[in-house]
Amino acid sequence: MKADSELAFSKLVKVYFRQLVNYGFRFVRDEEFVKDCVQEVFIEIWKRRQRINVPDSIKAYLLSSVRRKLYRESSRQKFEAGEFDLDFANDPSLTEEPFEWMLINDEQEQQIQAKVDAVLNELPRRQREVVYLQYFQNMSREEIADTMGINPQSVSNLLQLAFKFIRTRWSTLIILLMIIGILRSLSNFSSWKGMD
């Protein structure tokens, strides 16, 4: 982007815009506000393109930028603190899935998803966010640490606490999360493989 490539920038926006909106919607339930914040992040990146160093993970950089922007703007907008709770049950990204997932979307999957959502929504906010980033965004421990502004060991600790809590609530949830993660990875791999 330092070479003023509008094409590269538009591709960046196209690839990440929806993901960033879905992520931001987990903090603030005002889609237009979230879209505005995501757009402002991209505008700031374009304006500072000559000075920005390419991060190790573009996705982690964008997610953390959106997260910070939402916190800053929400304090100006005077949102209630409760609006920053994550809500897995109403996540639009869970309904915008690849074609293979739409075919599989039967009553049993919906029941499993409802059980997963119910247990995950009982987790404290930061633990929910770590689980979401790892299992629904397929981010590494280091990328999650960058996104949340914490160290990698804290990510591991939060995941450990989340799984300890989950085990006390429902032992099969771990298996369901792994299945969902594997299926999502396979669908991402199929999408990636189809780009050849």
Side-chain angles (χ1 to χ4, degrees):
M1 267 194 339
K2 286 186 178 183
D4 289 337
S5 171
E6 289 182 35
L7 181 62
F9 181 73
S10 67
K11 186 172 183 175
L12 183 74
V13 172
K14 186 176 183 178
V15 168
Y16 289 105
F17 187 82
R18 187 79 242 160
Q19 290 178 48
L20 296 173
V21 170
N22 289 342
Y23 178 68
F25 196 67
R26 295 177 172 283
F27 296 101
V28 179
R29 291 288 177 197
D30 180 345
E31 188 172 6
E32 291 307 312
F33 175 75
V34 173
K35 283 181 179 179
D36 288 345
C37 287
V38 171
Q39 287 173 346
E40 288 177 24
V41 165
F42 281 118
I43 290 168
E44 290 170 12
I45 289 171
W46 181 253
K47 287 179 179 176
R48 296 183 302 129
R49 67 189 176 278
Q50 297 297 326
R51 297 182 308 256
I52 293 178
N53 292 324
V54 177
D56 293 334
S57 169
I58 292 171
K59 186 176 187 177
Y61 175 80
L62 290 171
L63 288 169
S64 62
S65 296
V66 167
R67 185 175 195 255
R68 282 191 306 272
K69 183 72 165 175
L70 285 169
Y71 278 124
R72 278 191 306 261
E73 293 300 318
S74 66
S75 65
R76 291 183 192 141
Q77 298 286 329
K78 296 186 170 69
F79 279 100
E80 296 293 321
E83 291 197 49
F84 280 93
D85 288 340
L86 299 175
D87 182 4
F88 286 87
N90 299 312
D91 180 17
S93 68
L94 296 177
T95 59
E96 297 177 5
E97 296 167 333
F99 180 70
E100 296 87 357
W101 274 88
M102 289 190 290
L103 294 176
I104 298 172
N105 193 14
D106 61 1
E107 187 175 321
Q108 185 179 17
E109 183 183 337
Q110 291 173 2
Q111 290 172 351
I112 291 170
Q113 189 65 53
K115 290 176 184 177
V116 169
D117 292 343
V119 173
L120 291 177
N121 281 325
E122 292 181 42
L123 289 171
R125 183 189 59 81
R126 289 176 56 131
Q127 290 176 24
R128 274 183 283 175
E129 185 174 5
V130 168
V131 169
Y132 168 76
L133 292 172
Q134 178 153 26
Y135 291 99
F136 294 89
Q137 290 293 322
N138 297 320
M139 293 177 70
S140 70
R141 187 174 79 133
E142 289 74 22
E143 290 172 326
I144 295 169
D146 289 343
T147 299
M148 295 181 68
I150 59 178
N151 65 49
Q153 183 59 48
S154 295
V155 171
S156 296
N157 293 347
L158 287 168
L159 280 170
Q160 225 174 15
L161 289 171
F163 285 123
K164 184 177 179 181
F165 175 82
I166 289 168
R167 276 193 299 272
T168 65
R169 294 287 191 243
W170 191 30
S171 61
T172 58
L173 179 62
I174 294 170
I175 295 169
L176 293 172
L177 279 174
M178 290 190 315
I179 291 170
I180 289 170
I182 290 168
L183 291 174
R184 286 182 187 272
S185 294
L186 290 174
S187 68
N188 288 341
F189 177 74
S190 297
S191 299
W192 176 75
K193 190 175 178 185
M195 293 174 64
D196 291 340

